[in-house]
């Protein structure tokens, strides 16, 4: 199986050359009202329309010279290997605790009998109880006690937000430990793509999904080759940030410091990139409500070989960015044109969740008119896409993309 050395991300705004996406599929049709909260959705998207909008997003990236990779196609290719299929099934039944069920062996055998395409469908869309023939197989007590719950393996409706399970930093990868059970299998799938398609064992691994402390990609912004910003948020813990910082600063990376931006721990904000993203070398868009409340800390390495860290609070976000990026000044562009009501309404529709595809060029949702106009007034080229259904999962263009390679600035 041929591997590609694709990883190279040393900034947020370098020209986007390769990206990992997931086209929404059958997993969204398995959302029902009673399980929306558990699966992190507020509403049920219309699959036909959400796929049209996602296809438009992908075509927009391709039209700008970006190569698009898809989860399902990569996994199906990887699963052509019987050895890899067996490895995945063994790990999957442990990861989902199917192996603890009396019927676990029969389910594992069923998974091994699937074709590469069928197995890909199951690991993404889940395994419904009525999809496995268990005639004559003794069932576990939990089968009867939770008989109203329809799945042996949960669907992954959030997978089209490919930003969160992993983040390329430099030429290495962080495979993230997700905060919620609804999403933790996404990182498992990414680990197979990393091992058997892109990275292999030779690529640096900055974080691993098996670690206990949660960290998610929506909280990671690669500001420059030497500076990473990480949001301490409802989804990313302080403990995980320290582990990541230590691995980067004292490991084989060019990162010398990590800026920690602590934002309010609310679902409405969720990740740093729902309130703050980089749109040019010296320009950022920010949800004005958090501008004064965000707390900033700088993590650097201590001299010597003990691998310890120095953590110090910063006076404010603007000064910290200027110092880290060696700039005389930065522009913090207020979303919604700075109007409190407009900014709040558009932030709910991910106005600040912009995806930079080149310096000063970003992809946004068309619906956020005030924020888009404000970006243009500040010299930013705005490439708009439709998002009436995509936004129902509470994420924007940045959330829906995992950059694999950007041109260096």
């Amino acid at each position: 199986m041929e591997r590609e050395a694709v990883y190279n991300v040393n900034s947020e705004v370098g020209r986007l050359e390769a990206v990992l996406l997931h086209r929404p599929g059958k997993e969204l049709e398995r959302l029902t009202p009673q399980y929306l909260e558990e699966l992190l959705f507020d509403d049920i998207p219309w699959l036909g329309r959400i796929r049209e909008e996602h296809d438009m997003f992908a075509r927009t990236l391709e039209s700008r010279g970006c190569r698009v990779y898809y989860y399902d196609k990569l996994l199906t290719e990887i699963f052509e290997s019987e050895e890899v299929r067996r490895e995945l099934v063994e790990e999957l039944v442990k990861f989902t605790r199917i192996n603890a069920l009396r019927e676990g062996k029969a389910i594992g055998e069923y998974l091994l009998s699937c074709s590469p395409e069928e197995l890909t469908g199951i690991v993404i869309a889940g395994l419904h109880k009525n999809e496995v023939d268990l005639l004559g197989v003794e069932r576990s007590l939990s089968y009867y006690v939770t008989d109203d719950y329809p799945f042996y393996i949960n669907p992954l409706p959030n997978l089209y937000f490919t930003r969160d399970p992993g983040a390329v930093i430099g030429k290495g990868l962080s495979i993230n430990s997700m905060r919620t059970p609804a999403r933790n299998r996404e990182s498992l799938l990414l680990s197979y793509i990393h091992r058997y398609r892109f990275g292999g064992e030779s690529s640096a691994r900055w974080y691993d999904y098996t670690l206990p402390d949660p960290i998610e990609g929506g909280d990671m912004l690669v500001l420059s080759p030497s500076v990473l910003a990480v949001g301490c948020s409802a989804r990313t813990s302080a403990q995980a940030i320290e582990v990541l910082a230590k691995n980067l600063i004292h490991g084989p990376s060019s990162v010398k410091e990590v800026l920690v931006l602590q934002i309010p721990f609310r679902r409405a904000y969720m990740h740093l990139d729902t309130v703050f993203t980089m749109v040019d070398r010296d320009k950022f868009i920010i949800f004005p409500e958090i501008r004064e409340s965000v707390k900033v800390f700088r993590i650097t390495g201590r001299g010597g070989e003990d691998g310890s860290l120095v953590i110090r609070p910063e006076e404010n976000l603007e000064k910290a960015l200027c110092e880290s990026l060696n700039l005389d000044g930065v522009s913090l562009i207020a979303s919604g044109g700075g109007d409190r009501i407009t900014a709040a309404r558009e932030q709910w529709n991910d106005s600040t969740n912009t995806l930079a595809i080149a310096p000063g060029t970003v992809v946004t949702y068309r619906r956020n008119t005030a924020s888009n106009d404000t970006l243009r007034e500040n010299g930013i080229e705005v490439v708009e896409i439709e998002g009436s259904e995509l936004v129902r999962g509470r994420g924007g263009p940045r959330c829906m993309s995992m950059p694999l390679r950007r041109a260096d600035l």
Side-chain angles (χ1 to χ4, degrees):
M1 189 178 302
E2 184 179 354
R3 291 182 174 89
E4 297 181 63
V6 298
Y7 299 153
N8 188 67
V9 176
N10 289 302
S11 77
E12 280 294 304
V13 298
R15 183 171 54 82
L16 188 60
E17 296 179 336
V19 70
L20 178 60
L21 304 182
H22 172 61
R23 187 174 188 248
K26 181 181 177 181
E27 68 277 2
L28 289 178
E29 293 191 316
R30 293 188 153 175
L31 284 170
T32 57
Q34 64 266 46
Y35 300 119
L36 283 178
E37 183 177 357
E38 181 178 344
L39 295 174
L40 309 179
F41 270 72
D42 297 321
D43 201 355
I44 299 175
W46 172 23
L47 180 59
R49 180 57 181 164
I50 201 173
R51 296 187 94 174
E52 291 175 1
E53 292 175 355
H54 195 273
D55 289 345
M56 177 186 178
F57 175 51
R59 287 195 301 270
T60 297
L61 299 182
E62 290 172 332
S63 72
R64 297 294 181 118
C66 177
R67 181 171 180 181
V68 173
Y69 295 89
Y70 288 98
Y71 258 88
D72 59 342
K73 293 180 180 178
L74 293 173
L75 289 172
T76 298
E77 178 185 329
I78 291 167
F79 294 157
E80 289 291 341
S81 164
E82 181 179 352
E83 182 180 351
V84 175
R85 288 202 306 278
R86 287 188 173 277
E87 180 185 356
L88 180 279
V89 170
E90 182 178 348
E91 190 169 3
L92 181 64
V93 297
K94 291 179 181 178
F95 203 80
T96 57
R97 303 198 66 209
I98 287 174
N99 63 331
L101 303 176
R102 298 179 74 184
E103 63 269 35
K105 182 178 179 181
I107 296 171
E109 291 173 351
Y110 169 75
L111 294 172
L112 286 172
S113 72
C114 292
S115 69
E117 293 82 4
E118 291 168 339
L119 186 57
T120 296
I122 289 171
V123 297
I124 293 175
L127 181 65
H128 198 284
K129 287 181 177 178
N130 65 15
E131 292 174 333
V132 187
D133 183 3
L134 295 178
L135 185 64
V137 177
E138 291 186 349
R139 316 293 173 87
S140 59
L141 175 62
S142 62
Y143 175 89
Y144 297 104
V145 171
T146 60
D147 195 41
D148 59 331
Y149 188 71
F151 299 106
Y152 279 120
I153 299 175
N154 286 340
L156 296 177
N158 297 278
L159 184 60
Y160 75 92
F161 299 125
T162 57
R163 175 71 59 163
D164 297 321
V168 175
I169 304 168
K171 296 186 183 299
L173 179 66
S174 173
I175 303 182
N176 299 327
S177 178
M178 308 294 277
R179 168 72 73 173
T180 59
R183 301 198 66 181
N184 58 13
R185 201 170 74 252
E186 297 175 32
S187 301
L188 171 66
L189 300 185
L190 180 61
S191 74
Y192 277 79
I193 292 173
H194 169 70
R195 277 182 275 170
Y196 296 109
R197 191 59 163 81
F198 289 148
E201 298 304 321
S202 61
S203 281
R205 183 87 67 90
W206 307 127
Y207 202 84
D208 192 79
Y209 68 101
T210 60
L211 295 175
D213 297 312
I215 190 168
E216 300 190 358
D219 282 310
M220 300 181 190
L221 280 69
V222 183
L223 301 184
S224 76
S226 61
V227 183
L228 178 73
V230 184
C232 187
S233 71
R235 298 287 180 85
T236 292
S237 71
Q239 295 89 339
I241 294 172
E242 284 199 52
V243 172
L244 176 67
K246 184 175 181 179
N247 290 342
L248 288 166
I249 293 171
H250 294 292
S253 86
S254 61
V255 174
K256 303 302 180 187
E257 63 180 64
V258 173
L259 278 185
V260 181
L261 279 60
Q262 182 185 343
I263 62 175
F265 296 168
R266 302 178 192 170
R267 171 165 164 72
Y269 300 156
M270 196 179 308
H271 295 122
L272 178 61
D273 68 3
T274 65
V275 291
F276 177 80
T277 50
M278 192 174 189
V279 296
D280 205 347
R281 291 175 173 88
D282 58 353
K283 296 177 182 178
F284 302 80
I285 185 169
I286 188 169
F287 178 44
E289 188 172 310
I290 66 104
R291 181 166 180 171
E292 301 304 323
S293 63
V294 64
K295 296 179 181 178
V296 185
F297 306 88
R298 188 185 308 276
I299 302 179
T300 54
R302 194 187 304 275
E305 299 181 358
D306 64 349
S308 60
L309 301 171
V310 177
I311 303 171
R312 74 171 193 265
E314 294 294 310
E315 184 178 343
N316 61 54
L317 176 59
E318 191 169 355
K319 288 184 178 180
L321 290 170
C322 288
E323 181 179 337
S324 292
L325 297 176
N326 195 28
L327 296 170
D328 293 331
V330 295
S331 176
L332 299 182
I333 303 166
S335 63
D339 179 79
R340 185 180 180 88
I341 293 177
T342 303
R345 185 184 71 250
E346 293 196 350
Q347 189 272 338
W348 184 250
N349 292 318
D350 292 285
S351 60
T352 56
N353 194 256
T354 65
L355 171 66
I357 54 176
T361 302
V362 298
V363 180
T364 69
Y365 285 143
R366 188 189 308 276
R367 63 191 300 157
N368 294 315
T369 55
S371 298
N372 292 348
D373 287 345
T374 302
L375 285 168
R376 293 187 179 101
E377 290 166 5
N378 283 271
I380 304 300
E381 179 187 358
V382 179
V383 181
E384 297 178 336
I385 62 169
E386 298 297 335
S388 61
E389 294 299 311
L390 288 170
V391 79
R392 291 180 187 269
R394 303 267 63 86
R398 190 178 191 274
C399 287
M400 295 189 297
S401 57
M402 178 185 165
L404 300 172
R405 186 175 65 247
R406 287 185 181 273
D408 291 334
L409 295 177

